């Protein structure tokens, strides 16, 4: 009997594979069946690699049966945001320009995942060139939210969030420049982890903003996200932004509990203009953290109010796309073209001053995090808007963008539902390169609640 993959976590699936209760081929067929059942209604995938997945599953079964265990991701059906170079498989970036682009090499982290034995099921839909928060894509169709297909899945990693929520893969990698991992995680009711800037190599991942781009996992649980991070973290000397620092086992303190943990609550600016039901759910999460032994501390980040005005994404994106914008502007979707043209018009002095302000923001956040262990706030100020509305003025990135600017690791996980049954996300941030504590706090909250166990009816 083919299992339903939706309730399975990576940890559970891996245990079943090793105990002989499940084969990789059976697990892969169950995920491919979910893809067939949910596509194109959800439109999470741009490219489905079913036959490659079956071949990889057969190899994984043979290796596991022969006693070769590559680790926790061995035999796990996995998908990638379509920004990651995959040798022999097209990588479009959700754009018309790259529709037929087939890389000859894998991105650095894709090589790591392949070495870990993943079964690649395909490449996932996104906001064009990752420059947006709705994943409304004029070239490949809009990504739809599995909780309500009439609503957005968030962006830019919308296909990642939708695929995990729909059960059409067990793990995935997204990218985050202004919130693009955590926004879909929040709106789709899953876990999205943006590691510290430099923790994970970006080589072979199409850029949006060199200063702010992060690579990270989306999955059903905090533990699953930590397992993926274990696989992809590490120094890459060919990525100039990669940090030459030791990595950790990000699952090592998941069960340590919260005794002695100091939770900073940055109500200004991270809780301003937040919808009442979102605020109430996140207040409830703070109470749960306190019941688990954490101490709540109100903290202030006065400079953070300026983060939303920084021009860094727009100017760097305009620089990267300069030739395309000059030669074929009408091939961009209207929203992306408008954003790029706006970035092109920003004076260099503004960009330089914004980079200086960014350094001050990093110093401010680091100072606050010397007094507390983590920061907690809503991930997004509202739940998923209707498709016809999209994300007006990038409302969904109001809180998330601040972490990209400072490079601090941050995670979103579910903490409730609104009256329409749409997920609400809780965001937790930690000190630079302290993903161990980040995962510890998030896991403690997750295990004390049942939000992560609920699934869309799709």
């Amino acid at each position: 009997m083919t299992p339903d993959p939706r309730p399975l976590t990576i940890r559970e699936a891996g245990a079943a594979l090793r105990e002989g209760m499940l084969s990789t081929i059976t697990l892969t067929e169950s995920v491919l069946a979910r893809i067939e059942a949910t596509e194109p209604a959800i439109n999470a995938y741009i490219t489905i690699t079913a036959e490659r997945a079956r071949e990889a599953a057969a190899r994984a079964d043979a290796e596991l049966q022969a006693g070769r265990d590559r680790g926790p991701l061995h035999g796990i059906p996995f998908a990638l945001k379509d920004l990651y170079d995959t040798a022999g498989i097209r990588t479009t970036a959700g754009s018309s320009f790259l529709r037929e682009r087939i890389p000859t090499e894998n991105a650095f982290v894709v090589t790591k995942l392949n070495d870990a034995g993943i079964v690649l099921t395909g490449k996932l839909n996104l906001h064009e060139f990752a420059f947006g928060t709705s994943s409304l894509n004029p070239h490949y169709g809009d990504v739809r939210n599995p909780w309500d297909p009439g609503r957005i899945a968030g962006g830019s990693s919308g296909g990642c969030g939708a695929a995990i929520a729909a059960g059409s893969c067990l793990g995935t990698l997204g990218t985050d420049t202004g919130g693009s991992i955590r926004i879909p995680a929040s709106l789709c009711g899953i876990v999205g982890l943006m590691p510290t800037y430099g923790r994970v190599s970006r080589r072979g991942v199409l850029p949006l903003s060199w200063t702010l781009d992060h690579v990270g996992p989306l999955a059903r649980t905090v533990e699953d996200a930590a397992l993926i991070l274990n696989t992809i973290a590490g120094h890459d000397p060919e990525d100039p932004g990669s940090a030459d620092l030791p990595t950790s086992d990000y699952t090592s303190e998941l069960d340590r509990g919260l005794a002695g943990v100091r939770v900073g609550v940055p109500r200004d600016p991270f809780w301003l203009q937040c919808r009442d039901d979102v605020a109430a759910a996140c207040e409830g999460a703070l109470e749960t953290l306190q019941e688990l032994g954490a101490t709540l501390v109100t903290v202030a980040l006065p400079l953070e109010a300026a983060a939303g005005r920084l021009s860094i994404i727009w100017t760097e994106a305009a620089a990267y796309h300069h030739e395309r914008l000059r030669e074929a502007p009408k091939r961009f979707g209207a929203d992306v073209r408008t954003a790029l043209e706006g970035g092109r018009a920003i004076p260099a002095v503004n960009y330089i001053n914004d980079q200086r302000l960014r350094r001050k923001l990093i110093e401010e956040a680091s100072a606050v995090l010397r007094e507390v262990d983590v920061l907690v706030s809503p991930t997004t100020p509202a739940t998923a808007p209707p498709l016809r509305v999209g994300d007006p003025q990038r409302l969904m990135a109001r809180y998330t963008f601040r972490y990209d600017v400072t490079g601090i690791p941050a995670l979103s996980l579910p903490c409730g539902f609104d009256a329409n049954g749409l997920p609400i996300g809780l965001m937790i941030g930690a000190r630079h390169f302290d993903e161990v504590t980040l995962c510890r706090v998030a896991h403690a909250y997750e295990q004390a609640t049942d939000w992560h166990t609920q699934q869309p009816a799709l």
Side-chain angles (χ1 to χ4, degrees):
M1 179 180 177
T2 302
D4 182 348
R6 283 176 290 178
L8 278 179
T9 67
I10 290 173
R11 174 68 81 188
E12 291 166 347
L17 292 174
R18 286 156 184 79
E19 293 167 4
M21 304 295 292
L22 184 65
S23 72
T24 302
I25 290 175
T26 300
L27 177 60
T28 299
E29 290 295 347
S30 74
V31 169
L32 293 176
R34 280 301 297 165
I35 294 174
E36 185 175 353
T38 57
E39 294 294 313
I42 296 303
N43 204 34
Y45 279 81
I46 288 178
T47 301
I48 300 167
T49 55
E51 290 311 309
R52 285 176 180 260
R54 292 184 175 103
E55 293 168 3
R59 286 195 300 272
D61 275 337
E63 288 179 342
L64 288 169
Q65 289 166 11
R68 183 183 182 189
D69 190 340
R70 295 173 179 259
L73 301 189
H74 199 172
I76 298 300
F78 210 94
L80 295 166
K81 184 177 184 177
D82 204 18
L83 283 182
Y84 289 80
D85 279 354
T86 42
I89 304 170
R90 69 173 180 162
T91 299
T92 71
S95 75
S96 65
F97 292 92
L98 307 180
R99 188 178 291 274
E100 304 303 327
R101 178 178 177 267
I102 300 178
T104 57
E105 296 182 358
N106 287 317
F108 183 81
V109 292
V110 173
T111 297
K112 284 196 164 197
L113 290 170
N114 287 340
D115 290 345
I118 65 160
V119 173
L120 183 66
T121 55
K123 308 293 289 293
L124 297 170
N125 202 353
L126 66 156
H127 206 107
E128 180 185 6
F129 281 120
F131 203 3
T133 55
S134 67
S135 296
L136 301 180
N137 189 308
H139 311 297
Y140 300 90
D142 303 334
V143 182
R144 295 171 177 266
N145 195 313
W147 292 92
D148 179 350
R151 295 177 181 269
I152 69 169
S156 63
S157 310
C160 299
I164 295 293
S168 58
C169 67
L170 270 65
T172 183
L173 289 189
T175 60
D176 198 312
T177 308
S180 291
I181 287 172
R182 290 157 293 148
I183 294 169
S186 177
L187 302 192
C188 294
I190 62 165
V191 173
L193 170 57
M194 183 190 76
T196 307
Y197 181 85
R199 173 63 84 190
V200 181
S201 171
R202 301 163 303 169
R203 178 158 57 96
V205 184
L206 274 76
L208 174 59
S209 167
W210 300 281
T211 297
L212 304 178
D213 287 346
H214 299 69
V215 163
L218 295 93
R220 283 187 55 77
T221 66
V222 174
E223 182 179 30
D224 283 359
L227 290 171
I228 297 169
L229 184 58
N230 280 350
T231 300
I232 63 174
H235 178 55
D236 174 9
E238 295 187 44
D239 175 0
S242 179
D244 190 4
L245 294 171
T247 60
S248 303
D249 176 357
Y250 302 106
T251 68
S252 61
E253 296 189 7
L254 292 184
D255 297 322
R256 185 176 167 188
L258 297 188
V261 171
R262 290 174 62 82
V263 173
V265 185
R267 296 195 179 277
D268 183 0
F270 282 83
W271 292 67
L272 295 181
Q273 297 175 303
C274 184
R275 212 170 70 185
D276 288 347
D277 51 359
V278 172
C282 292
E283 292 288 357
L286 289 176
E287 293 175 7
T288 299
L289 291 171
Q290 196 167 27
E291 291 166 2
L292 293 171
T295 300
L296 304 185
V297 181
T298 299
V299 298
L301 291 161
L303 288 178
E304 280 292 332
R309 298 195 298 271
L310 295 184
S311 65
I312 294 169
I313 290 180
W314 285 265
T315 49
E316 293 188 351
Y320 178 70
H321 292 289
H322 175 70
E323 294 298 327
R324 297 187 184 100
L325 191 60
R326 183 181 65 186
E327 296 174 1
K330 292 184 179 179
R331 292 187 63 184
F332 289 101
D335 64 325
V336 172
R337 181 174 68 250
T338 298
L340 292 173
E341 289 172 342
R344 186 169 58 178
I346 293 171
V349 66
N350 291 30
Y351 173 76
I352 292 169
N353 285 335
D354 283 351
Q355 287 285 12
R356 295 173 65 191
L357 175 57
R358 175 175 168 266
R359 173 52 53 187
K360 293 179 181 178
L361 290 165
I362 292 170
E363 292 170 356
E364 178 184 74
S366 298
V368 169
L369 281 163
R370 285 193 287 271
E371 304 300 322
V372 296
D373 298 295
V374 294
L375 300 171
V376 174
S377 73
T379 307
T380 58
T383 54
L387 288 170
R388 67 179 182 277
V389 174
D391 184 6
Q393 299 179 328
R394 292 186 171 87
L395 170 70
M396 295 299 146
R398 177 175 291 160
Y399 306 142
T400 57
F401 179 59
R402 305 172 195 278
Y403 284 101
D404 296 273
V405 169
T406 57
I408 287 171
L411 178 152
S412 179
L413 76 166
C415 69
F417 293 87
D418 70 6
N420 294 315
L422 298 171
I424 297 169
L426 181 75
M427 184 164 58
I428 305 174
R431 300 177 183 116
H432 289 106
F433 300 102
D434 192 11
E435 289 85 358
V436 168
T437 299
L438 177 63
C439 292
R440 170 191 170 190
V441 174
H443 179 77
Y445 173 77
E446 178 185 75
Q447 296 306 300
T449 61
D450 66 354
W451 307 117
H452 65 290
T453 66
Q454 302 186 42
Q455 303 160 25
L458 182 76

